[in-house]
Amino acid sequence: MLVNEEHLGLCSSPQWARWVEDELMPWVLDGHDLGDHLLEFGPGPGLTTDILRRHAARVTAVELDPRLADQLPARLAGTNVAVVAADAARLPFPAGLFSAAACLTMLHHIPSAALQDAALAELGRVLRPGGVLVGSDGLDSAERRRLHLGGIFVPVSSATLPERLRRAGFVDACVEVHGDRLRFAATAGL
């Protein structure tokens, strides 16, 4: 199980939706143009998708969890969002399809650093040269570990993420820490 029921409940709550709208997304998206076709990697219940779809003409949301991938299309029907059930480490898209990609509070749900790196490389592959990757994740903490009991939690280090992004084919990687979270942005190589 990628996400336990407590965690899924939190990430579906009105409180989380307000925090995502008021704090997380303005911080992560600040200064970034997402272009015409955004790939959202791991939308979960779709609260981040609700905001991202206002920042790009088209959004393709890739979700691995079958329950969530089955629920999202009905919730997002009639919008500019298409939902695809797929593994981010093996994306079913041609190279250079997307103008931007977003990875929001989900890298830690990938079960190993090697698979995280494979997913980052896939994001680099499907982005157009010069396309931007934006993202965020929570840092390792006792509370975060407790919230993830029974699920997957492989925290991402702010110290190693820039080099990992470079190895995945990105340039101009920027990683910033604020409190117990990090945000990152990088550009797909030419």
mmCIF file of all heavy atoms in Angstrom, residues 140-187:
data_model
loop_
_atom_site.group_PDB
_atom_site.id
_atom_site.type_symbol
_atom_site.label_atom_id
_atom_site.label_comp_id
_atom_site.label_asym_id
_atom_site.label_seq_id
_atom_site.Cartn_x
_atom_site.Cartn_y
_atom_site.Cartn_z
ATOM 1 N N ASP A 140 12.021 14.392 6.310
ATOM 2 C CA ASP A 140 11.920 13.313 7.284
ATOM 3 C C ASP A 140 11.668 13.883 8.683
ATOM 4 O O ASP A 140 12.338 14.821 9.115
ATOM 5 C CB ASP A 140 13.221 12.515 7.285
ATOM 6 C CG ASP A 140 13.081 11.164 7.953
ATOM 7 O OD1 ASP A 140 11.978 10.823 8.413
ATOM 8 O OD2 ASP A 140 14.093 10.445 7.998
ATOM 9 N N SER A 141 10.670 13.340 9.355
ATOM 10 C CA SER A 141 10.379 13.729 10.741
ATOM 11 C C SER A 141 9.647 12.574 11.414
ATOM 12 O O SER A 141 9.060 11.714 10.743
ATOM 13 C CB SER A 141 9.515 14.997 10.793
ATOM 14 O OG SER A 141 8.193 14.716 10.355
ATOM 15 N N ALA A 142 9.660 12.585 12.743
ATOM 16 C CA ALA A 142 8.960 11.535 13.493
ATOM 17 C C ALA A 142 7.467 11.550 13.185
ATOM 18 O O ALA A 142 6.843 10.492 13.011
ATOM 19 C CB ALA A 142 9.202 11.709 14.994
ATOM 20 N N GLU A 143 6.879 12.737 13.108
ATOM 21 C CA GLU A 143 5.441 12.847 12.818
ATOM 22 C C GLU A 143 5.122 12.315 11.424
ATOM 23 O O GLU A 143 4.137 11.607 11.233
ATOM 24 C CB GLU A 143 4.977 14.295 12.946
ATOM 25 C CG GLU A 143 3.534 14.526 12.565
ATOM 26 C CD GLU A 143 2.516 13.727 13.362
ATOM 27 O OE1 GLU A 143 2.827 13.285 14.490
ATOM 28 O OE2 GLU A 143 1.394 13.523 12.861
ATOM 29 N N ARG A 144 5.953 12.638 10.447
ATOM 30 C CA ARG A 144 5.726 12.160 9.083
ATOM 31 C C ARG A 144 5.889 10.638 9.022
ATOM 32 O O ARG A 144 5.136 9.959 8.334
ATOM 33 C CB ARG A 144 6.680 12.861 8.129
ATOM 34 C CG ARG A 144 6.037 13.093 6.803
ATOM 35 C CD ARG A 144 6.738 14.079 5.915
ATOM 36 N NE ARG A 144 5.972 15.311 5.865
ATOM 37 C CZ ARG A 144 6.446 16.488 6.221
ATOM 38 N NH1 ARG A 144 7.681 16.635 6.624
ATOM 39 N NH2 ARG A 144 5.681 17.549 6.155
ATOM 40 N N ARG A 145 6.853 10.094 9.730
ATOM 41 C CA ARG A 145 7.012 8.635 9.766
ATOM 42 C C ARG A 145 5.779 7.977 10.384
ATOM 43 O O ARG A 145 5.310 6.944 9.919
ATOM 44 C CB ARG A 145 8.272 8.250 10.525
ATOM 45 C CG ARG A 145 9.528 8.514 9.718
ATOM 46 C CD ARG A 145 10.774 7.943 10.371
ATOM 47 N NE ARG A 145 11.913 8.174 9.514
ATOM 48 C CZ ARG A 145 12.248 7.420 8.477
ATOM 49 N NH1 ARG A 145 11.531 6.364 8.181
ATOM 50 N NH2 ARG A 145 13.297 7.716 7.736
ATOM 51 N N ARG A 146 5.248 8.574 11.462
ATOM 52 C CA ARG A 146 4.045 8.032 12.092
ATOM 53 C C ARG A 146 2.867 8.049 11.118
ATOM 54 O O ARG A 146 2.121 7.071 11.010
ATOM 55 C CB ARG A 146 3.692 8.837 13.353
ATOM 56 C CG ARG A 146 2.564 8.177 14.178
ATOM 57 C CD ARG A 146 1.822 9.160 15.054
ATOM 58 N NE ARG A 146 1.149 10.211 14.339
ATOM 59 C CZ ARG A 146 0.020 10.086 13.629
ATOM 60 N NH1 ARG A 146 -0.561 8.908 13.497
ATOM 61 N NH2 ARG A 146 -0.532 11.113 13.024
ATOM 62 N N LEU A 147 2.701 9.138 10.395
ATOM 63 C CA LEU A 147 1.603 9.259 9.440
ATOM 64 C C LEU A 147 1.689 8.209 8.332
ATOM 65 O O LEU A 147 0.678 7.807 7.783
ATOM 66 C CB LEU A 147 1.595 10.669 8.832
ATOM 67 C CG LEU A 147 0.507 10.971 7.819
ATOM 68 C CD1 LEU A 147 -0.885 10.867 8.457
ATOM 69 C CD2 LEU A 147 0.712 12.353 7.229
ATOM 70 N N HIS A 148 2.884 7.750 8.031
ATOM 71 C CA HIS A 148 3.086 6.804 6.938
ATOM 72 C C HIS A 148 3.171 5.349 7.394
ATOM 73 O O HIS A 148 3.470 4.472 6.568
ATOM 74 C CB HIS A 148 4.342 7.186 6.150
ATOM 75 C CG HIS A 148 4.161 8.421 5.349
ATOM 76 N ND1 HIS A 148 4.286 9.682 5.886
ATOM 77 C CD2 HIS A 148 3.863 8.611 4.042
ATOM 78 C CE1 HIS A 148 4.071 10.575 4.952
ATOM 79 N NE2 HIS A 148 3.813 9.959 3.821
ATOM 80 N N LEU A 149 2.907 5.053 8.669
ATOM 81 C CA LEU A 149 2.943 3.661 9.135
ATOM 82 C C LEU A 149 2.015 2.805 8.276
ATOM 83 O O LEU A 149 0.870 3.167 8.029
ATOM 84 C CB LEU A 149 2.539 3.563 10.601
ATOM 85 C CG LEU A 149 3.575 4.059 11.606
ATOM 86 C CD1 LEU A 149 3.005 4.018 13.023
ATOM 87 C CD2 LEU A 149 4.853 3.241 11.522
ATOM 88 N N GLY A 150 2.529 1.682 7.809
ATOM 89 C CA GLY A 150 1.737 0.799 6.967
ATOM 90 C C GLY A 150 1.732 1.215 5.503
ATOM 91 O O GLY A 150 1.144 0.538 4.670
ATOM 92 N N GLY A 151 2.369 2.320 5.191
ATOM 93 C CA GLY A 151 2.480 2.783 3.804
ATOM 94 C C GLY A 151 3.953 2.932 3.456
ATOM 95 O O GLY A 151 4.833 2.485 4.182
ATOM 96 N N ILE A 152 4.218 3.569 2.358
ATOM 97 C CA ILE A 152 5.597 3.769 1.911
ATOM 98 C C ILE A 152 6.041 5.177 2.289
ATOM 99 O O ILE A 152 5.320 6.146 2.058
ATOM 100 C CB ILE A 152 5.698 3.559 0.391
ATOM 101 C CG1 ILE A 152 5.422 2.096 0.055
ATOM 102 C CG2 ILE A 152 7.069 3.996 -0.129
ATOM 103 C CD1 ILE A 152 5.300 1.807 -1.422
ATOM 104 N N PHE A 153 7.237 5.261 2.863
ATOM 105 C CA PHE A 153 7.835 6.559 3.173
ATOM 106 C C PHE A 153 9.343 6.462 2.984
ATOM 107 O O PHE A 153 10.052 5.897 3.804
ATOM 108 C CB PHE A 153 7.496 7.000 4.601
ATOM 109 C CG PHE A 153 8.052 8.353 4.952
ATOM 110 C CD1 PHE A 153 7.677 9.481 4.232
ATOM 111 C CD2 PHE A 153 8.943 8.500 5.986
ATOM 112 C CE1 PHE A 153 8.186 10.740 4.552
ATOM 113 C CE2 PHE A 153 9.464 9.747 6.323
ATOM 114 C CZ PHE A 153 9.081 10.868 5.595
ATOM 115 N N VAL A 154 9.817 6.983 1.858
ATOM 116 C CA VAL A 154 11.242 7.050 1.543
ATOM 117 C C VAL A 154 11.557 8.527 1.336
ATOM 118 O O VAL A 154 11.388 9.063 0.233
ATOM 119 C CB VAL A 154 11.596 6.216 0.289
ATOM 120 C CG1 VAL A 154 13.083 6.322 -0.018
ATOM 121 C CG2 VAL A 154 11.174 4.762 0.482
ATOM 122 N N PRO A 155 11.962 9.221 2.415
ATOM 123 C CA PRO A 155 12.157 10.663 2.320
ATOM 124 C C PRO A 155 13.246 11.055 1.329
ATOM 125 O O PRO A 155 14.189 10.305 1.082
ATOM 126 C CB PRO A 155 12.546 11.076 3.736
ATOM 127 C CG PRO A 155 12.584 9.858 4.559
ATOM 128 C CD PRO A 155 12.247 8.688 3.722
ATOM 129 N N VAL A 156 13.078 12.227 0.768
ATOM 130 C CA VAL A 156 14.014 12.796 -0.188
ATOM 131 C C VAL A 156 14.884 13.805 0.554
ATOM 132 O O VAL A 156 14.372 14.644 1.297
ATOM 133 C CB VAL A 156 13.249 13.479 -1.340
ATOM 134 C CG1 VAL A 156 14.198 14.150 -2.308
ATOM 135 C CG2 VAL A 156 12.363 12.464 -2.053
ATOM 136 N N SER A 157 16.182 13.758 0.330
ATOM 137 C CA SER A 157 17.114 14.673 0.985
ATOM 138 C C SER A 157 17.310 15.922 0.140
ATOM 139 O O SER A 157 17.597 15.831 -1.058
ATOM 140 C CB SER A 157 18.466 13.976 1.175
ATOM 141 O OG SER A 157 19.461 14.918 1.485
ATOM 142 N N SER A 158 17.174 17.079 0.770
ATOM 143 C CA SER A 158 17.411 18.335 0.058
ATOM 144 C C SER A 158 18.874 18.456 -0.360
ATOM 145 O O SER A 158 19.185 19.122 -1.350
ATOM 146 C CB SER A 158 17.002 19.520 0.926
ATOM 147 O OG SER A 158 17.767 19.553 2.117
ATOM 148 N N ALA A 159 19.774 17.804 0.360
ATOM 149 C CA ALA A 159 21.205 17.880 0.045
ATOM 150 C C ALA A 159 21.560 17.113 -1.224
ATOM 151 O O ALA A 159 22.441 17.535 -1.983
ATOM 152 C CB ALA A 159 22.034 17.360 1.217
ATOM 153 N N THR A 160 20.898 16.005 -1.483
ATOM 154 C CA THR A 160 21.251 15.178 -2.642
ATOM 155 C C THR A 160 20.337 15.398 -3.851
ATOM 156 O O THR A 160 20.682 14.980 -4.956
ATOM 157 C CB THR A 160 21.215 13.685 -2.272
ATOM 158 O OG1 THR A 160 19.883 13.336 -1.848
ATOM 159 C CG2 THR A 160 22.217 13.366 -1.168
ATOM 160 N N LEU A 161 19.194 16.039 -3.661
ATOM 161 C CA LEU A 161 18.232 16.179 -4.758
ATOM 162 C C LEU A 161 18.793 16.934 -5.963
ATOM 163 O O LEU A 161 18.552 16.513 -7.104
ATOM 164 C CB LEU A 161 16.930 16.806 -4.256
ATOM 165 C CG LEU A 161 15.785 16.845 -5.257
ATOM 166 C CD1 LEU A 161 15.472 15.467 -5.835
ATOM 167 C CD2 LEU A 161 14.541 17.450 -4.606
ATOM 168 N N PRO A 162 19.552 18.021 -5.807
ATOM 169 C CA PRO A 162 20.067 18.692 -7.013
ATOM 170 C C PRO A 162 20.912 17.764 -7.899
ATOM 171 O O PRO A 162 20.743 17.754 -9.131
ATOM 172 C CB PRO A 162 20.910 19.850 -6.453
ATOM 173 C CG PRO A 162 20.296 20.143 -5.129
ATOM 174 C CD PRO A 162 19.872 18.790 -4.601
ATOM 175 N N GLU A 163 21.769 16.964 -7.302
ATOM 176 C CA GLU A 163 22.595 16.038 -8.084
ATOM 177 C C GLU A 163 21.743 14.938 -8.708
ATOM 178 O O GLU A 163 21.979 14.515 -9.845
ATOM 179 C CB GLU A 163 23.699 15.426 -7.213
ATOM 180 C CG GLU A 163 24.535 14.368 -7.901
ATOM 181 C CD GLU A 163 25.253 14.846 -9.166
ATOM 182 O OE1 GLU A 163 25.444 16.064 -9.352
ATOM 183 O OE2 GLU A 163 25.615 13.982 -9.989
ATOM 184 N N ARG A 164 20.752 14.471 -7.990
ATOM 185 C CA ARG A 164 19.847 13.453 -8.535
ATOM 186 C C ARG A 164 19.084 14.003 -9.747
ATOM 187 O O ARG A 164 18.890 13.292 -10.735
ATOM 188 C CB ARG A 164 18.888 12.964 -7.452
ATOM 189 C CG ARG A 164 19.609 12.196 -6.345
ATOM 190 C CD ARG A 164 18.700 11.884 -5.192
ATOM 191 N NE ARG A 164 17.722 10.866 -5.594
ATOM 192 C CZ ARG A 164 16.684 10.513 -4.849
ATOM 193 N NH1 ARG A 164 16.475 11.099 -3.673
ATOM 194 N NH2 ARG A 164 15.847 9.588 -5.268
ATOM 195 N N LEU A 165 18.651 15.253 -9.664
ATOM 196 C CA LEU A 165 17.972 15.875 -10.802
ATOM 197 C C LEU A 165 18.929 16.017 -11.991
ATOM 198 O O LEU A 165 18.553 15.773 -13.135
ATOM 199 C CB LEU A 165 17.400 17.235 -10.394
ATOM 200 C CG LEU A 165 16.181 17.174 -9.478
ATOM 201 C CD1 LEU A 165 15.926 18.523 -8.826
ATOM 202 C CD2 LEU A 165 14.952 16.702 -10.245
ATOM 203 N N ARG A 166 20.170 16.394 -11.719
ATOM 204 C CA ARG A 166 21.165 16.523 -12.788
ATOM 205 C C ARG A 166 21.371 15.173 -13.483
ATOM 206 O O ARG A 166 21.392 15.078 -14.709
ATOM 207 C CB ARG A 166 22.484 17.059 -12.250
ATOM 208 C CG ARG A 166 23.498 17.394 -13.372
ATOM 209 C CD ARG A 166 24.898 17.567 -12.875
ATOM 210 N NE ARG A 166 25.464 16.348 -12.280
ATOM 211 C CZ ARG A 166 25.840 15.261 -12.968
ATOM 212 N NH1 ARG A 166 25.703 15.214 -14.261
ATOM 213 N NH2 ARG A 166 26.353 14.210 -12.332
ATOM 214 N N ARG A 167 21.507 14.110 -12.695
ATOM 215 C CA ARG A 167 21.684 12.770 -13.267
ATOM 216 C C ARG A 167 20.467 12.333 -14.084
ATOM 217 O O ARG A 167 20.580 11.525 -15.000
ATOM 218 C CB ARG A 167 21.977 11.749 -12.169
ATOM 219 C CG ARG A 167 23.392 11.829 -11.630
ATOM 220 C CD ARG A 167 23.770 10.606 -10.789
ATOM 221 N NE ARG A 167 22.733 10.109 -9.940
ATOM 222 C CZ ARG A 167 22.603 10.338 -8.626
ATOM 223 N NH1 ARG A 167 23.501 11.085 -8.004
ATOM 224 N NH2 ARG A 167 21.616 9.821 -7.936
ATOM 225 N N ALA A 168 19.305 12.863 -13.749
ATOM 226 C CA ALA A 168 18.073 12.534 -14.477
ATOM 227 C C ALA A 168 17.918 13.363 -15.758
ATOM 228 O O ALA A 168 16.927 13.213 -16.465
ATOM 229 C CB ALA A 168 16.864 12.740 -13.564
ATOM 230 N N GLY A 169 18.882 14.247 -16.032
ATOM 231 C CA GLY A 169 18.844 15.013 -17.271
ATOM 232 C C GLY A 169 18.388 16.442 -17.136
ATOM 233 O O GLY A 169 18.159 17.124 -18.140
ATOM 234 N N PHE A 170 18.257 16.921 -15.917
ATOM 235 C CA PHE A 170 17.807 18.293 -15.697
ATOM 236 C C PHE A 170 18.992 19.225 -15.492
ATOM 237 O O PHE A 170 20.080 18.810 -15.090
ATOM 238 C CB PHE A 170 16.885 18.361 -14.466
ATOM 239 C CG PHE A 170 15.554 17.712 -14.683
ATOM 240 C CD1 PHE A 170 15.345 16.389 -14.313
ATOM 241 C CD2 PHE A 170 14.508 18.404 -15.271
ATOM 242 C CE1 PHE A 170 14.123 15.769 -14.518
ATOM 243 C CE2 PHE A 170 13.283 17.802 -15.486
ATOM 244 C CZ PHE A 170 13.088 16.485 -15.104
ATOM 245 N N VAL A 171 18.766 20.496 -15.762
ATOM 246 C CA VAL A 171 19.759 21.542 -15.511
ATOM 247 C C VAL A 171 19.105 22.607 -14.625
ATOM 248 O O VAL A 171 17.890 22.622 -14.436
ATOM 249 C CB VAL A 171 20.275 22.179 -16.824
ATOM 250 C CG1 VAL A 171 20.999 21.136 -17.673
ATOM 251 C CG2 VAL A 171 19.153 22.820 -17.618
ATOM 252 N N ASP A 172 19.929 23.467 -14.099
ATOM 253 C CA ASP A 172 19.453 24.597 -13.286
ATOM 254 C C ASP A 172 18.557 24.159 -12.128
ATOM 255 O O ASP A 172 17.544 24.800 -11.840
ATOM 256 C CB ASP A 172 18.709 25.626 -14.158
ATOM 257 C CG ASP A 172 19.584 26.171 -15.266
ATOM 258 O OD1 ASP A 172 20.801 26.311 -15.043
ATOM 259 O OD2 ASP A 172 19.052 26.448 -16.357
ATOM 260 N N ALA A 173 18.929 23.081 -11.473
ATOM 261 C CA ALA A 173 18.129 22.587 -10.347
ATOM 262 C C ALA A 173 18.248 23.538 -9.161
ATOM 263 O O ALA A 173 19.330 23.991 -8.814
ATOM 264 C CB ALA A 173 18.593 21.193 -9.941
ATOM 265 N N CYS A 174 17.120 23.818 -8.563
ATOM 266 C CA CYS A 174 17.065 24.674 -7.380
ATOM 267 C C CYS A 174 16.231 23.943 -6.330
ATOM 268 O O CYS A 174 15.113 23.503 -6.615
ATOM 269 C CB CYS A 174 16.411 26.003 -7.738
ATOM 270 S SG CYS A 174 16.202 27.098 -6.326
ATOM 271 N N VAL A 175 16.793 23.795 -5.140
ATOM 272 C CA VAL A 175 16.081 23.147 -4.043
ATOM 273 C C VAL A 175 16.126 24.086 -2.857
ATOM 274 O O VAL A 175 17.187 24.583 -2.487
ATOM 275 C CB VAL A 175 16.730 21.794 -3.672
ATOM 276 C CG1 VAL A 175 16.040 21.166 -2.475
ATOM 277 C CG2 VAL A 175 16.709 20.841 -4.866
ATOM 278 N N GLU A 176 14.963 24.357 -2.272
ATOM 279 C CA GLU A 176 14.864 25.233 -1.107
ATOM 280 C C GLU A 176 14.096 24.520 -0.001
ATOM 281 O O GLU A 176 13.149 23.796 -0.274
ATOM 282 C CB GLU A 176 14.123 26.520 -1.465
ATOM 283 C CG GLU A 176 14.813 27.386 -2.480
ATOM 284 C CD GLU A 176 13.975 28.606 -2.826
ATOM 285 O OE1 GLU A 176 13.322 29.171 -1.917
ATOM 286 O OE2 GLU A 176 13.959 28.975 -4.009
ATOM 287 N N VAL A 177 14.510 24.777 1.228
ATOM 288 C CA VAL A 177 13.839 24.202 2.397
ATOM 289 C C VAL A 177 13.173 25.330 3.164
ATOM 290 O O VAL A 177 13.758 26.400 3.372
ATOM 291 C CB VAL A 177 14.851 23.462 3.303
ATOM 292 C CG1 VAL A 177 14.194 23.008 4.591
ATOM 293 C CG2 VAL A 177 15.449 22.275 2.552
ATOM 294 N N HIS A 178 11.941 25.066 3.563
ATOM 295 C CA HIS A 178 11.204 25.986 4.426
ATOM 296 C C HIS A 178 10.480 25.133 5.471
ATOM 297 O O HIS A 178 9.611 24.329 5.126
ATOM 298 C CB HIS A 178 10.211 26.813 3.611
ATOM 299 C CG HIS A 178 9.425 27.775 4.439
ATOM 300 N ND1 HIS A 178 9.984 28.898 5.000
ATOM 301 C CD2 HIS A 178 8.132 27.769 4.820
ATOM 302 C CE1 HIS A 178 9.053 29.549 5.687
ATOM 303 N NE2 HIS A 178 7.923 28.880 5.585
ATOM 304 N N GLY A 179 10.867 25.289 6.729
ATOM 305 C CA GLY A 179 10.256 24.469 7.783
ATOM 306 C C GLY A 179 10.537 23.002 7.547
ATOM 307 O O GLY A 179 11.684 22.597 7.393
ATOM 308 N N ASP A 180 9.471 22.204 7.455
ATOM 309 C CA ASP A 180 9.627 20.760 7.280
ATOM 310 C C ASP A 180 9.367 20.302 5.849
ATOM 311 O O ASP A 180 9.075 19.148 5.597
ATOM 312 C CB ASP A 180 8.708 20.011 8.247
ATOM 313 C CG ASP A 180 7.236 20.173 7.912
ATOM 314 O OD1 ASP A 180 6.879 21.098 7.138
ATOM 315 O OD2 ASP A 180 6.431 19.373 8.417
ATOM 316 N N ARG A 181 9.478 21.240 4.892
ATOM 317 C CA ARG A 181 9.205 20.921 3.490
ATOM 318 C C ARG A 181 10.330 21.418 2.599
ATOM 319 O O ARG A 181 11.036 22.357 2.941
ATOM 320 C CB ARG A 181 7.913 21.579 3.029
ATOM 321 C CG ARG A 181 6.714 21.207 3.896
ATOM 322 C CD ARG A 181 5.418 21.474 3.200
ATOM 323 N NE ARG A 181 5.144 20.579 2.108
ATOM 324 C CZ ARG A 181 4.848 19.288 2.238
ATOM 325 N NH1 ARG A 181 4.779 18.732 3.405
ATOM 326 N NH2 ARG A 181 4.602 18.545 1.185
ATOM 327 N N LEU A 182 10.436 20.802 1.445
ATOM 328 C CA LEU A 182 11.331 21.311 0.420
ATOM 329 C C LEU A 182 10.523 21.551 -0.850
ATOM 330 O O LEU A 182 9.488 20.933 -1.070
ATOM 331 C CB LEU A 182 12.503 20.354 0.158
ATOM 332 C CG LEU A 182 12.243 18.962 -0.405
ATOM 333 C CD1 LEU A 182 12.068 18.955 -1.928
ATOM 334 C CD2 LEU A 182 13.389 18.049 -0.046
ATOM 335 N N ARG A 183 11.008 22.495 -1.647
ATOM 336 C CA ARG A 183 10.465 22.687 -2.984
ATOM 337 C C ARG A 183 11.641 22.597 -3.929
ATOM 338 O O ARG A 183 12.798 22.868 -3.556
ATOM 339 C CB ARG A 183 9.733 24.013 -3.139
ATOM 340 C CG ARG A 183 10.622 25.233 -3.213
ATOM 341 C CD ARG A 183 9.819 26.482 -3.555
ATOM 342 N NE ARG A 183 10.687 27.648 -3.467
ATOM 343 C CZ ARG A 183 10.327 28.855 -3.774
ATOM 344 N NH1 ARG A 183 9.092 29.090 -4.214
ATOM 345 N NH2 ARG A 183 11.158 29.870 -3.665
ATOM 346 N N PHE A 184 11.346 22.204 -5.144
ATOM 347 C CA PHE A 184 12.397 22.091 -6.136
ATOM 348 C C PHE A 184 11.867 22.487 -7.509
ATOM 349 O O PHE A 184 10.667 22.439 -7.777
ATOM 350 C CB PHE A 184 12.996 20.677 -6.178
ATOM 351 C CG PHE A 184 12.007 19.576 -6.466
ATOM 352 C CD1 PHE A 184 11.789 19.110 -7.753
ATOM 353 C CD2 PHE A 184 11.308 18.967 -5.421
ATOM 354 C CE1 PHE A 184 10.905 18.083 -8.001
ATOM 355 C CE2 PHE A 184 10.424 17.929 -5.659
ATOM 356 C CZ PHE A 184 10.221 17.493 -6.959
ATOM 357 N N ALA A 185 12.789 22.929 -8.326
ATOM 358 C CA ALA A 185 12.487 23.245 -9.724
ATOM 359 C C ALA A 185 13.746 22.941 -10.517
ATOM 360 O O ALA A 185 14.863 23.081 -10.028
ATOM 361 C CB ALA A 185 12.090 24.707 -9.878
ATOM 362 N N ALA A 186 13.547 22.505 -11.743
ATOM 363 C CA ALA A 186 14.661 22.210 -12.632
ATOM 364 C C ALA A 186 14.130 22.278 -14.066
ATOM 365 O O ALA A 186 12.928 22.193 -14.310
ATOM 366 C CB ALA A 186 15.237 20.832 -12.341
ATOM 367 N N THR A 187 15.057 22.416 -14.990
ATOM 368 C CA THR A 187 14.714 22.540 -16.407
ATOM 369 C C THR A 187 15.199 21.311 -17.148
ATOM 370 O O THR A 187 16.326 20.844 -16.930
ATOM 371 C CB THR A 187 15.389 23.800 -16.994
ATOM 372 O OG1 THR A 187 15.004 24.927 -16.209
ATOM 373 C CG2 THR A 187 14.992 24.023 -18.432
#
